Amino acid sequence: MPPVSPDSPDPRRPGVGRRALLGAAASVAPVLAGLSAPASAAVSSRGRPSALPGGGDLGPNVLVFDPSTPGIQAKLDEVFHRQESAQFGTGRYALLFKPGTYNGLNAQIGFYTSIAGLGLSPDDTTINGDVTVDAGWFNGNATQNFWRSAENLALVPANGTNRWAVAQAAPFRRMHVRGGLNLSPTGYGWASGGYIADSRIDGQVGPYSQQQWYTRDSAIGSWLNGVWNMVFSGVEGAPGQSFPNPPYTTLATTPVSREKPFLHVSGNELRVFLPEKRTNARGVTWGNGTPRGTSLSLSQFYVARPGVSAATLNQALIQGLHLLLTPGIYHLDQPIRVDRAGTVVLGLGYATLVPDGGVTALKVADVDGVRLAGFLIDAGPVNSATLLEVGPPGASKDHSADPTTVQDVFVRIGGAGAGRATTSMVINSRHTIVDHTWVWRADHGTGVGWDTNRADYGIVVNGDDVLATGLFVEHFNKYDVQWYGQRGRTIFFQNEKAYDAPNQAAIQNGAVRGYAAYKVGDNVTTHEGWGLGSYCYYNVDPTIVQHNGFAAPNRPGVRFHDLLVVSLGGKGQYEHVVNETGAPTSGTSTTPSTVVSYP
């Protein structure tokens, strides 16, 4: 995200104010006291598994603490020191806390670091202290605080308010803050996030400078303010509907939701809990005793370590195991193929899949109940036609009773190195729930340029009855989102058009000036969206004109609520918000043009 100020340079473009990035992080020894994990898989001399038992070693970058562990703060500080500014580094960490009470901690969370409790409820694991994200590494600017997460903990903040100043791909899930939550950096500098789900914040949530935020199925004491686009669904205590002033979009419930799988302990055993689906959801899932769902033993998972081959991962899936991807980077010479209903692929510590040779990283068959969660897909240097495919082309089975969920699965093209992909994510299966994703063609880092990290399309939805809750898609060369399935719904969308278009001709779309950020197919008869925003910042050629942010067939069944477009500092302009409706953006004012209801 660029800054709010129209007169300041973009802090995320290459060469502006970033520190040198750290290289590969050294290992920190894991603390696995008192937890049982079956032996790792035996591997034959030919590199293929002779047997693939579940369970296994979680690896050196998973740190498991209990209240008696000595030196917890020093270990947290060591990981943070390595990860604080390692935006495109190779270090990946998961910090796991067994149930109990931990006093006086300040867990500062850097890049590619996840912190989580191991109870069935957040209240099983209490930190009298803070889980902090700030922006000291970037001169108080939080717009690049990506790729980190906090889950399943209760916090009693030291000064009454916890700070979580993040941008995209930084979920705050299943948390209980016994106090307030501040979503901006020290000094209230720039911030651009973010996402909260299944959480309770007893006090006030203060977004301050946060440009946009989505909160789902939670409970809050109060909400302080809004800048451009604050969206709530199923949130007890949410402010009332008032878009555009204040810019609150509020739905009483979330139509369908199913929370992300999570690790927990039962006795001395690690297990994975699978929350059940809810319809018309409101509030947290964990407030009244044991959450509803099922629990799987870790023995039912193949616990993968970086360096394992795609063939081995697929053999584990064929043998009926789920996948737990421990922190690290996984190079794939063929797709991971999920063909069995109910399969779980769960990543820890931003486990990262890199498809080599132009393959697709992961493909899901047209089956019920697959759960993909908690990993990053990083495009390789050879162009991939797609990076993630949920359901094969033409998928048509009804999955309404047990949908596939895609949660905290993030996609990146460029930034860590030259990457290319024609389309990042394709959703073909009906009833799929995409719950929080950031699909990003990089605008800074290495391997970045209009044709260097070429990526024409972000997300393409072909399946019917797909629901997106928390959709962040940015900077694609053509359409960011294309939606061809019937009865699709999106609650919250955040977008920036590609900064680096060299001129008007480069984005000419037939007779239309530019490609809409969110395009609903001409044959779609029913579609609905709430709280959708698109921003432009054409810093290479500020004279570029973008016809609209949203394009859709003009018919009664295709409806939008609370739309906005913004020209950031006058770097490019929008002529309309949706189709031919909505006033053009004006000059350098960085003031949104809004449409409350369409048609």
Side-chain angles (χ1 to χ4, degrees):
M1 285 297 305
V4 174
S5 169
D7 299 319
S8 301
D10 173 21
R12 277 171 49 183
R13 74 172 186 260
V16 180
R18 285 191 305 278
R19 299 177 184 174
L21 302 179
L22 296 180
S27 295
V28 177
V31 181
L32 294 169
L35 295 179
S36 64
S40 297
V43 180
S44 74
S45 61
R46 301 174 70 89
R48 291 184 177 274
S50 55
L52 284 170
D57 183 358
L58 297 182
N61 287 6
V62 176
L63 284 70
V64 183
F65 304 105
D66 66 41
S68 66
T69 301
I72 296 176
Q73 186 66 57
K75 291 183 175 67
L76 297 176
D77 291 346
E78 182 179 356
V79 173
F80 178 65
H81 174 72
R82 298 183 184 283
Q83 299 304 112
E84 179 184 10
S85 57
Q87 182 171 180
F88 297 112
T90 57
R92 304 287 188 271
Y93 291 93
L95 311 173
L96 306 180
F97 286 76
K98 295 172 68 174
T101 300
Y102 300 79
N103 293 319
L105 296 182
N106 181 20
Q108 298 182 82
I109 306 300
F111 284 100
Y112 312 109
T113 304
S114 299
I115 186 170
L118 290 174
L120 275 175
S121 165
D123 289 328
D124 293 341
T125 309
T126 298
I127 293 178
N128 289 310
D130 298 273
V131 172
T132 302
V133 178
D134 211 335
W137 75 278
F138 200 42
N139 301 315
N141 178 354
T143 60
Q144 294 186 30
N145 281 350
F146 313 138
W147 304 306
R148 62 199 75 198
S149 66
E151 302 184 48
N152 205 29
L153 293 164
L155 306 178
V156 183
N159 68 354
T161 300
N162 189 77
R163 185 180 304 279
W164 186 255
V166 298
Q168 290 82 358
F172 197 79
R173 286 185 181 268
R174 200 177 173 78
M175 297 287 287
H176 185 187
V177 181
R178 299 176 193 162
L181 186 63
N182 183 341
L183 303 178
S184 73
T186 298
Y188 305 104
W190 298 322
S192 175
Y195 176 90
I196 293 171
D198 200 24
S199 293
R200 181 180 298 278
I201 293 90
D202 293 346
Q204 184 177 73
V205 180
Y208 300 102
S209 57
Q210 284 286 354
Q211 295 162 357
Q212 67 281 314
W213 199 276
Y214 175 48
T215 307
R216 178 181 64 71
D217 299 349
S218 294
I220 61 175
S222 61
W223 189 272
L224 179 62
N225 71 298
V227 176
W228 289 336
N229 190 30
M230 302 285 152
V231 180
F232 310 84
S233 67
V235 178
E236 298 169 355
Q241 170 71 31
S242 59
F243 186 90
N245 187 25
Y248 299 148
T249 298
T250 303
L251 287 73
T253 61
T254 304
V256 187
S257 66
R258 188 173 67 191
E259 298 304 329
K260 179 183 172 184
F262 62 91
L263 282 174
H264 71 103
V265 293
S266 179
N268 288 329
E269 182 189 14
L270 272 174
R271 300 180 67 87
V272 175
F273 193 83
L274 308 180
E276 70 173 22
K277 185 188 78 170
R278 296 196 291 171
T279 57
N280 298 317
R282 182 174 174 85
V284 301
T285 63
W286 46 268
N288 297 303
T290 302
R292 298 175 67 89
T294 58
S295 182
L296 301 177
S297 168
L298 203 64
S299 65
Q300 296 173 261
F301 284 76
Y302 178 68
V303 178
R305 298 277 295 275
V308 69
S309 70
T312 297
L313 296 175
N314 283 327
Q315 185 62 30
L317 292 168
I318 289 169
Q319 292 182 206
L321 294 171
H322 308 278
L323 297 182
L324 184 69
L325 305 174
T326 64
I329 297 174
Y330 297 75
H331 283 269
L332 307 173
D333 62 358
Q334 60 179 274
I336 298 172
R337 297 185 180 276
V338 178
D339 295 329
R340 177 172 47 87
T343 298
V344 179
V345 180
L346 176 62
L348 301 180
Y350 286 80
T352 301
L353 307 178
V354 181
D356 294 328
V359 304
T360 298
L362 193 150
K363 293 187 175 186
V364 180
D366 193 13
V367 295
D368 277 350
V370 171
R371 303 181 195 229
L372 308 179
F375 56 88
L376 171 66
I377 299 174
D378 209 353
V382 178
N383 187 74
S384 294
T386 60
L387 294 172
L388 174 64
E389 181 185 273
V390 180
S396 59
K397 293 180 181 178
D398 186 321
H399 302 296
S400 56
D402 191 8
T404 285
T405 46
V406 182
Q407 299 177 286
D408 300 347
V409 173
F410 308 116
V411 177
R412 178 172 70 193
I413 302 97
R420 298 172 67 91
T422 302
T423 304
S424 291
M425 185 183 299
V426 179
I427 308 296
N428 293 318
S429 286
R430 293 182 62 193
H431 303 100
T432 298
I433 300 171
V434 180
D435 176 43
H436 189 228
T437 188
W438 185 37
V439 181
W440 184 58
R441 176 183 167 265
D443 61 280
H444 66 275
T446 60
V448 172
W450 182 250
D451 290 311
T452 304
N453 61 327
R454 183 81 193 186
D456 283 350
Y457 309 110
I459 295 179
V460 176
V461 179
N462 296 314
D464 294 341
D465 306 292
V466 171
L467 171 66
T469 52
L471 198 59
F472 299 74
V473 188
E474 296 189 303
H475 305 151
F476 285 84
N477 294 79
K478 293 184 178 179
Y479 290 115
D480 298 275
V481 172
Q482 296 175 90
W483 205 299
Y484 299 110
Q486 298 289 352
R487 297 176 298 280
R489 293 174 290 184
T490 295
I491 305 173
F492 182 89
F493 172 67
Q494 184 266 327
N495 165 264
E496 288 176 353
K497 296 304 300 174
Y499 293 175
D500 56 347
N503 49 51
Q504 187 77 50
I507 62 164
Q508 195 67 20
N509 182 15
V512 178
R513 291 177 162 185
Y515 292 82
Y518 189 108
K519 164 70 172 174
V520 179
D522 293 342
N523 294 325
V524 172
T525 58
T526 306
H527 186 91
E528 195 160 10
W530 297 261
L532 314 182
S534 177
Y535 321 147
C536 73
Y537 188 77
Y538 288 116
N539 62 343
V540 175
D541 181 358
T543 69
I544 288 175
V545 175
Q546 175 80 28
H547 184 64
N548 51 32
F550 304 89
N554 187 3
R555 52 176 60 103
V558 179
R559 298 179 293 170
F560 292 102
H561 315 271
D562 301 353
L563 300 176
L564 70 148
V565 295
V566 182
S567 170
L568 299 169
K571 304 292 188 183
Q573 300 292 336
Y574 289 91
E575 293 180 308
H576 301 285
V577 180
V578 52
N579 292 347
E580 310 302 316
T581 299
T585 53
S586 175
T588 60
S589 64
T590 314
T591 300
S593 177
T594 61
V595 169
V596 173
S597 181
Y598 182 87

